[in-house]
Amino acid sequence: MYRPDYLMMTPGPSIVRENVMKRRAEFFGNPDLDEDFFMFYDKLAEKTAKIFGCKKENMIFMSGEGMVGLDSACASLTEPGDRVLVIENGLFGAGFADMVTPYGGIPVTLSFDTKRKIDVEKVKEFLEKDSNFKFATVVHCDTPTGVLNDVKEICKLLKSKGILTVVDTVAAIGGEYFNANEFGADIALGGSQKCFSAPPGITMLSVSDDAWKAIKNRKIKIASFYCNLSYWQNCVEKRLFPYTMPSSDLMGFDVAVDNILEEGIENMIERHHKVAEYCRNGLKKLGLKLYMEDNFSSTVTGFYVPDGFTVKEFIRRLKDDYKIFIGGSYGPYADKILRIGHMGESAKIEYIEKTLLAIKDMLKK
C-alpha cells in the first residue's frame, strides 16, 4: 500500500491541513441536481474572488490540475491565425507556445534571462515595434527555477496596447500579492495544490469582462469541449455545470480557502516572505549556491546540487534517511537544481529549519 511518511517540502503539492482532509471525507451529495450545491459553489466563488482580486461572477472552478486552466485559457482565446505573445524567462513560461499552437495560434516568443525577472522596459521597447497580438501570456512564479515576475506592470503595459493577458499564478497566488482587477489580468489561473494547500485536482480561474467578450465574439468555435470556458459563464444562474463537479474536492477546497481568509491574505503573504528569506539565508550558510540572482519567489527556492551528489541521489538520501522530500527540476535544470517548496501549510519556519538541519547533516556525512 502506498503510504508516504515524509515531511513534504516539494514545490507543490504542499502539506494539506487535517481539517481539509476531514471535510473531503464527508458525504458530498449530488452536485448536478442539488440546489444547495449551486449555492455552495456561488459562495465559494465569492470567497475565492477575495484572494484573486475579482468579482465572484468572474471565478470558475474546473476539475483537473492547474494545467487544465492553462489549456482552457489558450483554447478559449485562440483562433486560427491569432498572434500570441509568449513572454518567458523559464520553462513553464516558454511552454505556453506549445499550448497555443494546437488551436491554430501563432506564438511569438520574447525570452529573458532565467536567473532574473522579466525586464518590463525591454517588453515595452518590443511592443513599440510590434503590438499586433490578440493576447499575451506570462508566468507569475516560474516554478522550475523560482523566479518571480512583476506581472502587475507587465499586464498594465499589455493592456495599454489593447492586448489581453493570461497570467499563470498557480505557484504564486497566496504567497505573493496578486489582484486581477488592479493588475488588469484578463485570465488568471491558480491550482489547489500550491499555496491553497488542498489536494491536487481543482483549477481556479478569474476571467475578466474583456476576456468573456473576446470568448463570446469569436468567429470560429472553440476547438474543445472540456476546455471551453464559454460553457462556464453564468452556470450558477443557469443551474447547469458543463460536467459533474468534483464535489468532495470542492468541499475540501472550501475549507482551505477559509483557512487562508482566517489567517488574512496580507498575513499569509508576509509569512511566506519571512519563511522564504529564512530558507535562502540558511542554504547560503551551508555553502550552497542559489540559482536565482534576483527577484526570488516566496514560494519556492532553487539551489544548485552540491558537489559529490547527483540530483536524484540527493533527493533519495534526504527522503530515505531523514524522511524529508524536496524536489528536483525539469528540462535544462533537471541535472542542476534542487528545489525546496515553502508554500501554504509548508511555509513554516520549523519545517524549513528541520529541512536545513537534515541537509547540513547529510553534507557532513
Side-chain angles (χ1 to χ4, degrees), residues 3 46 57 73 103-104 107 109 147 158 186 188 191 203 296 300 339 365:
R3 187 169 290 166
E46 183 179 2
E57 293 81 10
Y103 301 110
T109 300
V147 63
L158 291 163
D186 289 297
T203 291
F296 300 91
V300 55
R339 297 180 299 156
K365 292 180 180 179

Side-chain angles (χ1 to χ4, degrees), residues 225-278:
F225 177 84
Y226 199 88
C227 294
N228 187 333
L229 293 180
S230 69
Y231 296 138
W232 290 91
Q233 192 173 29
N234 302 321
C235 60
V236 172
E237 289 78 2
K238 296 174 184 176
R239 297 298 191 265
L240 182 65
F241 295 114
Y243 48 76
T244 300
M245 296 304 294
S247 47
S248 59
D249 288 344
L250 285 172
M251 287 162 60
F253 180 73
D254 179 61
V255 176
V257 171
D258 285 341
N259 290 340
I260 292 175
L261 295 179
E262 286 171 10
E263 179 179 1
I265 299 170
E266 291 183 1
N267 293 334
M268 184 172 176
I269 292 171
E270 183 180 1
R271 168 167 62 88
H272 278 76
H273 287 182
K274 288 181 178 179
V275 170
E277 185 177 13
Y278 186 86

